[in-house]
């Protein structure tokens, strides 16, 4: 049996087992990967040839070092024994409990299974109690602090669940699903090291539970922690590593992993969305937009990950496309957090910030741990000059994920607006540590160093240089470098950066005051250096502009011609940026 057939066979069994244990999100994930496995070419039809592996519009144009654990155009494959079921032991009581569980009557489900000893029944009873505790915790938060308030409420079932699951684990009478739940309980209680060990045992015993992999990933915040895991070499490990690399900001490695996985899962919408997510972090917006357009063509009712697509459309100021997307998700499922965020982005682009905040708050009422909504709401409060509310929103985002560079950057912006550059600098440093390849963050740090309170111009120059090396799309860094070098009395360095800035503007066919300033400085500089031919080139170009710079160029030309003819120059304008 080849690797594709093996993956397909395993996933079909896993989907039934996961659904039978009410792990529906893991079952859905497995089903999406099952349909993403490349089919026999003889069975291809126009409706199921999406994301073909050779498609030039979808295949990533990105290469990095090989990830050796996954062979090219395939997945690593180690057979894992399929679990034995214990349906005969559970019988009708399990079916009744599962029905109650599906109706969200968690305590009734647990009560029905109180005397059942089969591993499936024990798991479902404990899982039902865990969710009952989570449900009560959320109710307490709303009762005490409101839907967006902070609270010290805890899941009251954790202590008893930990005691029972620990005993089962010591006795060896717990299955991989019970280990998953045990790891989840330990994580909630703060025992992260033990939780990692338990979750590793769970995924090694039963690798198809994506929920267990996701919980394990949340406990791996550094590459050292990730490398310390003793994981079996199953193909699910490749999915885990690709996702984990993305979370710890190893985007190139993540993209390479997903590309190799496409050799088997060539039609997986999940993999395409994850590739788009990594490219979004690398600010490759054009490719991200192409992928999401294809995703929507193949899955028109998809809402998951579409908030990221709306961020790209917002950044590119594609108002008509964003309007269409907002209408689409509104008609599909308007009470999804992602839908609310997309609509919030739409109103933000229209400049209706109060309405935008209303939708971000609605998203948070649906899921108060929805990171993007807190961060985007903070951005809206910045636009509304409501800095205290912005600071609170950004801090809530950081509480959820301390590695969210956008929230740290937002805090820096808020404190900069309040005239507190030392605080702003602290938060900007946090953001560039997490996202060192984003030129905007370095430029913001440089602005802080340039403020009257700091005036640390050498540090500002270092930041602008980093920004220039990080594909400064806004074309700010080179111009600011030239101005700072001039201000510090370094005419040669200033000319170097003005020339580079001018070359970039010419390549991008941009004109404006920055081009005039660069031409004027270079004309003056080369005249001073007695390099008259080069100075005349820049002066001649200035004659095409209207305004005082045209007269200045004429004066410079007259002065150079007078000097070249042997007469003293008169009335030469001096450059001042």
């Amino acid at each position: 049996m080849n690797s594709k057939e093996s993956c397909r066979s395993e996933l079909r069994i896993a989907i039934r087992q996961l659904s039978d244990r009410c792990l529906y999100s893991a079952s859905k994930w497995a089903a999406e990967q099952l349909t993403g496995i490349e089919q026999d070419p003889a069975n291809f039809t126009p409706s199921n040839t999406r994301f073909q592996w050779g498609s030039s519009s979808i295949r990533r144009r990105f290469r990095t070092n090989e990830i050796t654990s996954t062979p090219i155009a395939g997945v690593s494959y180690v057979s894992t024994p399929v679990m034995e079921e214990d349906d005969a032991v559970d019988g009708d009581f399990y079916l009744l409990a599962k029905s109650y569980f599906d109706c969200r009557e968690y305590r009734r489900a647990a009560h029905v299974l109180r005397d059942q000893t089969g591993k499936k029944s024990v798991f479902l009873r404990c899982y039902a109690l865990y969710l009952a505790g989570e449900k009560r915790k959320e109710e307490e938060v709303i009762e005490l602090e409101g839907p967006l308030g902070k609270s010290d409420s805890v899941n009251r079932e954790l202590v008893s669940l930990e005691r029972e699951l620990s005993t089962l684990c010591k006795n060896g009478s717990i299955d991989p699903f019970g280990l998953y739940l045990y790891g989840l309980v330990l994580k909630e209680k703060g025992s992260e090291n033990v939780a990692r060990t338990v979750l590793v045992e769970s995924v090694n015993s039963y690798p198809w539970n994506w929920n267990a992999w996701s919980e394990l990933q949340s406990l791996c915040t550094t590459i050292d922690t990730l490398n310390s895991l003793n994981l079996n070499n199953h193909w699910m490990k490749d999915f885990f590593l690709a996702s984990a690399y993305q979370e710890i900001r190893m985007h190139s490695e993540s993209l390479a992993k997903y590309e190799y996985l496409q050799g088997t899962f060539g039609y997986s919408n999940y993999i395409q969305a994850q590739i788009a997510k990594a490219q979004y972090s690398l600010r490759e917006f054009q490719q991200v937009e192409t992928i999401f357009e294809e995703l929507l063509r193949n899955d028109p009712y998809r809402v998951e990950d579409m908030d990221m697509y709306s961020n790209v459309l917002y950044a590119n100021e594609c108002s008509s496309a964003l309007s269409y997307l907002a209408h689409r998700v509104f008609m599909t499922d308007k009470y999804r957090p992602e839908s609310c965020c997309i609509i919030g982005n739409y109103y933000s682009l229209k400049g209706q910030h109060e309405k935008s905040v209303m939708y971000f708050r609605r998203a948070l009422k649906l899921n108060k741990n929805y990171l993007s909504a807190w961060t985007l709401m903070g951005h809206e409060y910045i636009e509304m000059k409501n800095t205290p509310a912005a600071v609170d929103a950004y801090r809530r985002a950081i509480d959820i994920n301390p590695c969210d560079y956008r929230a740290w950057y937002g805090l820096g912006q808020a404190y900069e607006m309040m005239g507190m550059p030392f605080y702003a600098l602290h938060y900007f440093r946090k953001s560039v540590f997490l996202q060192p390849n984003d030129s905007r963050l370095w430029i913001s740090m440089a602005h802080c160093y340039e403020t009257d309170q700091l005036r640390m111009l050498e540090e500002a120059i270092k930041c602008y240089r980093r920004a220039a090396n990080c594909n400064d799309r806004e074309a700010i860094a080179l111009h600011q470098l030239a101005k700072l070098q001039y201000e510090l009395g370094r005419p040669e360095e200033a000319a170097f950066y003005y020339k580079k800035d001018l070359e970039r503007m010419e390549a991008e066919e941009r004109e404006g005051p920055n081009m005039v300033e660069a031409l004027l400085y270079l004309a003056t500089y080369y005249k001073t250096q007695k390099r008259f031919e080069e100075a005349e080139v820049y002066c001649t170009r200035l004659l095409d502009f209207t305004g005082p710079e045209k007269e200045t160029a004429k004066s410079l030309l007259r002065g150079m011609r007078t000097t070249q003819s042997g007469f003293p120059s008169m009335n030469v304008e001096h450059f001042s940026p």
Side-chain angles (χ1 to χ4, degrees):
M1 184 183 293
N2 63 37
S3 63
K4 290 179 183 177
E5 286 303 317
S6 299
C7 293
R8 189 179 289 115
S9 176
E10 289 179 13
L11 283 168
R12 284 172 178 157
I13 296 170
I15 291 163
R16 289 193 292 270
Q17 292 176 332
L18 291 163
S19 296
D20 200 30
R21 287 165 176 81
C22 302
L23 294 171
Y24 297 119
S25 59
S27 176
K28 183 183 83 167
W29 185 92
E32 288 177 348
Q33 306 326 306
L34 174 63
T35 57
I37 296 175
E38 190 172 3
Q39 304 293 322
D40 187 334
N43 297 327
F44 280 166
T45 65
S47 65
N48 66 11
T49 54
R50 63 196 190 284
F51 295 136
Q52 290 193 40
W53 178 231
S55 172
S56 60
S57 66
I58 293 300
R59 191 175 182 183
R60 180 166 55 82
R61 307 169 186 86
F62 188 88
R63 286 288 185 272
T64 186
N65 295 331
E66 285 192 6
I67 305 298
T68 56
S69 64
T70 310
I72 294 176
V75 294
S76 54
Y77 175 70
V78 174
S79 180
T80 302
V82 178
M83 285 179 48
E84 292 185 5
E85 297 287 14
D86 52 3
D87 287 330
V89 177
D90 299 300
D92 299 339
F93 287 104
Y94 187 85
L95 294 175
L96 176 59
K98 187 176 182 299
S99 300
Y100 286 147
F101 188 101
D102 291 343
C103 294
R104 296 172 58 85
E105 298 182 60
Y106 301 125
R107 294 198 183 277
R108 277 185 94 183
H111 179 74
V112 167
L113 296 173
R114 65 192 182 281
D115 297 324
Q116 303 300 308
T117 58
K119 291 178 181 178
K120 273 176 64 177
S121 293
V122 169
F123 167 76
L124 188 61
R125 175 172 55 79
C126 292
Y127 190 38
L129 286 173
Y130 172 79
L131 290 180
E134 287 293 298
K135 185 179 178 182
R136 181 57 193 148
K137 183 179 76 172
E138 292 298 319
E139 291 168 352
E140 287 179 1
V141 170
I142 294 172
E143 290 165 3
L144 297 173
E145 302 290 341
L148 303 186
K150 293 184 179 180
S151 174
D152 296 328
S153 298
V154 295
N155 186 334
R156 300 175 188 274
E157 302 295 335
L158 293 181
V159 175
S160 60
L161 283 172
E162 183 188 12
R163 190 184 308 119
E164 179 176 357
L165 292 169
S166 174
T167 303
L168 291 171
C169 192
K170 288 174 184 175
N171 296 338
S173 55
I174 191 170
D175 67 358
F177 296 101
L179 287 170
Y180 154 66
L181 183 57
Y182 186 30
L184 183 58
V185 169
L186 289 168
K187 177 193 162 192
E188 292 285 329
K189 293 200 69 181
S191 304
E192 294 190 355
N193 291 331
V194 184
R196 258 194 302 272
T197 303
V198 171
L199 287 168
V200 165
E201 187 179 347
S202 174
V203 297
N204 281 342
S205 303
Y206 187 86
W208 305 281
N209 181 6
W210 183 245
N211 287 3
W213 289 107
S214 298
E215 293 300 332
L216 180 59
Q217 178 193 300
S218 69
L219 296 171
C220 299
T221 55
T222 66
I223 186 62
D224 292 334
T225 305
L226 194 61
N227 289 336
S228 69
L229 301 179
N230 184 23
L231 296 169
N232 291 344
N233 193 28
H234 190 272
W235 54 265
M236 282 292 290
K237 176 185 173 183
D238 295 317
F239 277 100
F240 166 72
L241 289 176
S243 182
Y245 286 149
Q246 198 155 280
E247 288 301 312
I248 58 178
R249 302 173 301 284
M250 294 172 62
H251 302 300
S252 300
E253 291 81 355
S254 177
L255 283 167
K257 273 287 186 189
Y258 282 124
E259 183 175 63
Y260 292 128
L261 282 166
Q262 279 185 318
T264 296
F265 300 90
Y267 301 90
S268 169
N269 289 345
Y270 167 81
I271 290 179
Q272 288 300 326
Q274 296 308 304
I275 287 174
K277 190 178 293 185
Q279 289 177 330
Y280 176 80
S281 298
L282 294 169
R283 297 180 64 75
E284 297 174 4
F285 290 160
Q286 186 174 358
Q287 293 186 44
V288 174
E289 196 169 344
T290 301
I291 291 173
F292 275 119
E293 286 172 358
E294 192 71 20
L295 274 172
L296 278 177
R297 276 195 290 272
N298 295 311
D299 190 0
Y301 299 104
R302 183 186 182 93
V303 177
E304 189 178 3
D305 302 314
M306 287 298 121
D307 52 335
M308 187 189 305
Y309 181 34
S310 77
N311 291 340
V312 173
L313 296 176
Y314 181 93
N316 293 336
E317 298 184 358
C318 301
S319 57
S320 58
L322 185 53
S323 171
Y324 176 73
L325 179 63
H327 177 75
R328 193 168 189 161
V329 297
F330 181 85
M331 298 303 293
T332 301
D333 189 349
K334 66 180 179 180
Y335 291 117
R336 281 276 291 272
E338 296 93 333
S339 301
C340 295
C341 268
I342 292 166
I343 297 168
N345 271 340
Y346 167 70
Y347 282 116
S348 177
L349 189 59
K350 289 183 68 178
Q352 299 181 24
H353 301 298
E354 292 84 357
K355 207 161 187 178
S356 179
V357 166
M358 181 184 77
Y359 275 97
F360 290 136
R361 290 182 68 85
R362 184 176 294 178
L364 291 166
K365 287 179 181 177
L366 295 167
N367 179 5
K368 71 171 186 176
N369 292 322
Y370 191 46
L371 181 65
S372 293
W374 284 114
T375 306
L376 292 171
M377 191 163 71
H379 295 345
E380 293 308 299
Y381 282 131
I382 289 286
E383 293 291 331
M384 295 162 66
K385 303 295 188 291
N386 187 350
T387 48
V391 167
D392 181 64
Y394 290 134
R395 291 196 185 280
R396 293 292 293 273
I398 290 166
D399 288 342
I400 296 167
N401 182 5
C403 294
D404 180 25
Y405 79 93
R406 297 171 303 169
W408 291 110
Y409 175 65
L411 277 175
Q413 282 187 307
Y415 281 101
E416 190 177 29
M417 284 177 60
M418 291 189 283
M420 303 167 73
F422 288 98
Y423 284 95
L425 195 58
H426 168 74
Y427 294 120
F428 285 141
R429 281 174 176 159
K430 290 267 194 182
S431 67
V432 296
F433 173 76
L434 294 167
Q435 188 77 357
N437 296 320
D438 194 327
S439 61
R440 299 169 302 167
L441 311 184
W442 290 107
I443 288 169
S444 295
M445 273 187 70
H447 287 161
C448 269
Y449 283 123
E450 287 184 272
T451 56
D452 293 335
Q453 295 101 311
L454 298 181
R455 295 305 293 172
M456 298 170 68
L457 300 186
E458 294 293 347
E459 295 299 320
I461 286 173
K462 291 178 185 176
C463 291
Y464 282 129
R465 281 176 179 158
R466 287 294 299 267
N469 292 331
C470 293
N471 189 19
D472 174 23
R473 295 172 184 269
E474 287 79 16
I476 296 171
L478 289 173
H479 184 73
Q480 290 300 115
L481 277 168
K483 292 180 72 171
L484 283 177
Q485 296 288 8
Y486 175 80
E487 188 176 339
L488 292 170
R490 301 168 185 165
E492 188 175 345
E493 288 88 344
F496 172 78
Y497 286 112
Y498 271 123
K499 196 168 185 178
K500 286 190 72 173
D501 192 31
L502 185 61
E503 288 169 355
R504 175 166 178 167
M505 285 186 281
E506 289 168 347
E508 296 176 357
E509 298 181 349
R510 287 189 294 110
E511 290 187 357
N514 286 3
M515 178 173 278
V516 172
E517 187 177 315
L519 290 168
L520 189 55
Y521 180 85
L522 290 169
T524 307
Y525 172 75
Y526 285 122
K527 174 183 176 295
T528 306
Q529 298 295 311
K530 301 191 184 304
R531 294 162 64 175
F532 297 124
E533 288 186 9
E534 292 169 88
E536 281 189 23
V537 170
Y538 293 114
C539 285
T540 304
R541 290 183 61 181
L542 278 168
L543 295 177
D544 295 332
F545 294 88
T546 58
E549 58 273 2
K550 184 174 182 178
E551 297 304 317
T552 303
K554 288 179 180 178
S555 178
L556 286 170
L557 284 169
R558 284 196 301 268
M560 285 187 287
R561 286 164 186 163
T562 302
T563 302
Q564 288 174 294
S565 63
F567 295 100
S569 61
M570 299 174 62
N571 193 32
V572 177
E573 296 286 341
H574 294 287
F575 171 80
S576 178

